[in-house]
Amino acid sequence: MSSSVLEKLKEHTTVVADTGDFHLIQEYTPQDATTNPSLILKAAKNPTYSPLVNEVLEGAKQEGISNSEEVMDRLLVQFGVSILEIVPGRVSTEVDARLSFDVEKSLAKARSLIARYEKLGYGRERVLIKLASTWEGIEVSRQLEKEGICCNMTLLFSFYQAVACAEAGSQLISPFVGRILDWHVEREGKSFDGPDDPGVQSVTQIYNYYKKFNYPTEVMAASFRNTGEIKELVGCDLMTIGPKFLEEMKNDQSELEVKLCIEEAKASNFDHLEMSEADFRFLMNEDEMASFKLAEGIRKFSSDVSSLERFLAKKLESSSNH
């Protein structure tokens, strides 16, 4: 029996599970896992995880902590730790998206999240701090990387964001393939397949640029809309994939072709770019899709962080009334 597409993919690309549901993670044996506020909110509301949520709430109650932000950070790390008990590699935990334009508060939040992991016995080498790829987020990454805190730059929609992240020495970037596609489908009123997919083209361009100029920053394609996009990016350093597509590829026996490779990247035609803050802001402003999707993504994640905080505040209130 031939191996599945998922098994073949793992030969060329590190597969990362994109979920806060660690029962599903066990099923697909990924190397790493990523979470975000939306995924944690969804998992926290799932009755399966009530014991974990209640354990965090009980611990906070016993210590006299009633601050929902503090409880939320504990919950994020508790989910992360539960994932680290399953995956051999790293987990990504996101800094509050409401801090996307605040360097100092983002630095403080990232350091406190890492301190929580270390207190629970998990070294910083196993945690990626997720930051929105705003100029401020990239500056936070520049500082954290010097402290040995590795960063996953998320909400990345443009080549210029990717260049700035590489210049800052970020550990990893997460270009959002599917959200780029969404924008073009809506704007142009047509579908895109295979190598014509604008999200696929964006990741291919970034991958080739990084490899041509020997940037160590890892490229982790994210936010897929179909397995066709995944198949077009075989060879990318990593891909973070939701359970639905992991299952689809697990049951798919078709052939798989490597699409991205270092040799071809080295031969690609690029000029090396320097990226100042003024360059970054102007080029992002010129890129309507990237500007729109970055702002939309921050709004959505901020909203879900606020929802998670309210959910926990309600739980705290009801537990203190008992």
Side-chain angles (χ1 to χ4, degrees):
M1 187 177 164
S2 69
S3 57
S4 70
V5 163
L6 182 57
E7 286 165 336
K8 288 171 189 153
L9 177 64
K10 286 179 180 179
E11 291 170 21
H12 307 287
T13 292
T14 299
V15 172
V16 179
D18 192 15
T19 178
D21 186 332
F22 39 87
H23 296 304
L24 281 171
I25 292 171
Q26 282 172 310
E27 205 176 314
Y28 302 106
T29 62
Q31 174 69 21
D32 298 349
T34 58
T35 63
N36 65 41
S38 313
L39 295 172
I40 296 293
L41 177 64
K42 187 179 168 189
K45 289 181 171 179
N46 181 337
T48 311
Y49 295 106
S50 293
L52 186 149
V53 174
N54 292 337
E55 184 190 328
V56 169
L57 290 167
E58 190 54 40
K61 190 176 161 186
Q62 283 175 3
E63 291 176 47
I65 292 162
S66 57
N67 179 332
S68 55
E69 186 187 346
E70 161 78 12
V71 176
M72 180 170 66
D73 286 354
R74 288 179 173 217
L75 185 68
L76 294 178
V77 172
Q78 199 52 56
F79 266 101
V81 163
S82 301
I83 289 167
L84 286 174
E85 288 170 4
I86 300 164
V87 301
R90 306 169 294 190
V91 70
S92 291
T93 296
E94 192 147 339
V95 164
D96 188 331
R98 296 171 298 186
L99 305 178
S100 296
F101 303 99
D102 191 320
V103 172
E104 291 310 315
K105 285 185 178 172
S106 291
L107 282 168
K109 179 66 78 180
R111 289 169 183 146
S112 80
L113 288 169
I114 287 293
R116 289 176 193 281
Y117 275 106
E118 291 184 331
K119 194 177 173 186
L120 294 169
Y122 293 88
R124 58 186 60 190
E125 71 283 352
R126 293 201 66 196
V127 182
L128 291 170
I129 292 293
K130 265 177 112 171
L131 298 156
S133 299
T134 56
W135 179 260
E136 292 79 5
I138 294 166
E139 284 302 297
V140 172
S141 160
R142 192 188 305 276
Q143 179 57 42
L144 291 175
E145 294 286 352
K146 290 175 186 166
E147 298 171 22
I149 297 173
C150 295
C151 299
N152 171 353
M153 305 308 294
T154 189
L155 295 175
L156 193 141
F157 303 99
S158 87
F159 179 65
Y160 304 110
Q161 285 173 295
V163 171
C165 290
E167 291 287 311
S170 305
Q171 178 70 31
L172 181 148
I173 61 164
S174 295
F176 276 28
V177 182
R179 293 197 199 185
I180 293 173
L181 172 66
D182 294 344
W183 191 87
H184 285 277
V185 167
E186 196 173 318
R187 175 55 59 99
E188 296 169 48
K190 63 175 187 177
S191 58
F192 298 86
D193 293 310
D196 296 329
D197 184 313
V200 167
Q201 290 176 348
S202 178
V203 174
T204 302
Q205 181 189 23
I206 292 165
Y207 175 91
N208 288 340
Y209 182 83
Y210 276 17
K211 302 309 175 196
K212 183 176 179 72
F213 294 111
N214 298 315
Y215 284 110
T217 301
E218 300 166 64
V219 182
M220 179 168 74
S223 159
F224 295 105
R225 294 294 175 260
N226 53 67
T227 56
E229 290 180 321
I230 295 168
K231 290 175 180 179
E232 285 298 329
L233 292 170
V234 176
C236 192
D237 299 327
L238 308 96
M239 291 192 216
T240 181
I241 304 169
K244 177 185 164 191
F245 296 138
L246 289 172
E247 181 63 21
E248 200 177 307
M249 291 190 297
K250 194 178 169 185
N251 296 318
D252 182 353
Q253 306 294 323
S254 62
E255 288 307 307
L256 204 60
E257 189 187 330
V258 176
K259 300 286 182 152
L260 303 184
C261 72
I262 291 173
E263 294 71 35
E264 282 184 31
K266 292 284 185 196
S268 59
N269 187 20
F270 284 107
D271 293 325
H272 187 264
L273 299 177
E274 300 287 332
M275 190 68 61
S276 68
E277 180 178 353
D279 292 333
F280 178 87
R281 292 195 187 281
F282 178 74
L283 291 165
M284 281 296 286
N285 192 64
E286 289 289 284
D287 189 331
E288 189 185 349
M289 177 275 296
S291 300
F292 178 84
K293 296 309 282 187
L294 175 61
E296 178 190 63
I298 291 170
R299 281 195 300 273
K300 173 79 172 83
F301 282 167
S302 297
S303 168
D304 284 340
V305 170
S306 298
S307 297
L308 182 57
E309 214 168 29
R310 285 194 299 273
F311 170 76
L312 292 171
K314 214 167 171 181
K315 290 263 190 192
L316 275 171
E317 197 182 333
S318 65
S319 70
S320 63
N321 291 337
H322 288 119

